[in-house]
């Protein structure tokens, strides 16, 4: 398109939100595990936490909560940039 319009701004914001969710979710999971007092004693830092999660629960565990995070980021960014 030669010129940015509101529909394109909303679409751009939505796609940015979806991309952001894919990047943020694994970091959020690790952060939550390290902050949780019931689980924090199991880990010796961020890398150790990631290794133990992947070994015990599988790599897809890092993307638990992806759907709800995508909804939040897509809707927020669509409204903000639109």
């Amino acid at each position: 398109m030669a010129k940015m319009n509101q529909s394109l701004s909303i679409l751009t914001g939505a796609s940015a939100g979806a991309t952001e969710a894919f990047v943020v979710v694994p970091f959020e999971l690790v952060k939550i595990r390290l902050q949780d007092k019931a689980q924090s004693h199991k880990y010796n830092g961020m890398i150790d936490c990631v290794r133990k999660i992947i070994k015990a629960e599988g790599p897809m565990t890092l993307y638990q909560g992806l759907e709800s995070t995508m909804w939040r980021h897509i809707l927020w960014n669509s409204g903000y940039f639109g």
Side-chain angles (χ1 to χ4, degrees):
M1 292 194 126
K3 188 174 180 182
M4 184 69 105
N5 58 31
Q6 188 171 18
S7 297
L8 187 56
S9 295
I10 291 170
L11 180 62
T12 303
S15 61
T19 305
E20 180 184 11
F22 274 101
V23 173
V24 169
V25 167
F27 293 103
E28 290 286 329
L29 178 77
V30 171
K31 180 184 82 170
I32 290 167
R33 295 271 179 108
L34 290 172
Q35 289 177 341
D36 183 13
K37 291 183 184 203
Q39 296 186 32
S40 64
H41 68 279
K42 297 177 185 177
Y43 310 112
N44 294 323
M46 186 177 71
I47 302 299
D48 183 53
C49 182
V50 171
R51 284 183 184 146
K52 287 181 179 175
I53 289 171
I54 291 172
K55 185 177 179 182
E57 303 172 51
M60 293 307 292
T61 302
L62 293 173
Y63 285 94
Q64 281 182 342
L66 177 63
E67 183 181 357
S68 58
T69 304
M70 284 184 75
W71 279 107
R72 180 181 69 205
H73 286 267
I74 288 170
L75 292 173
W76 168 257
N77 286 351
S78 296
Y80 183 80
F81 290 108

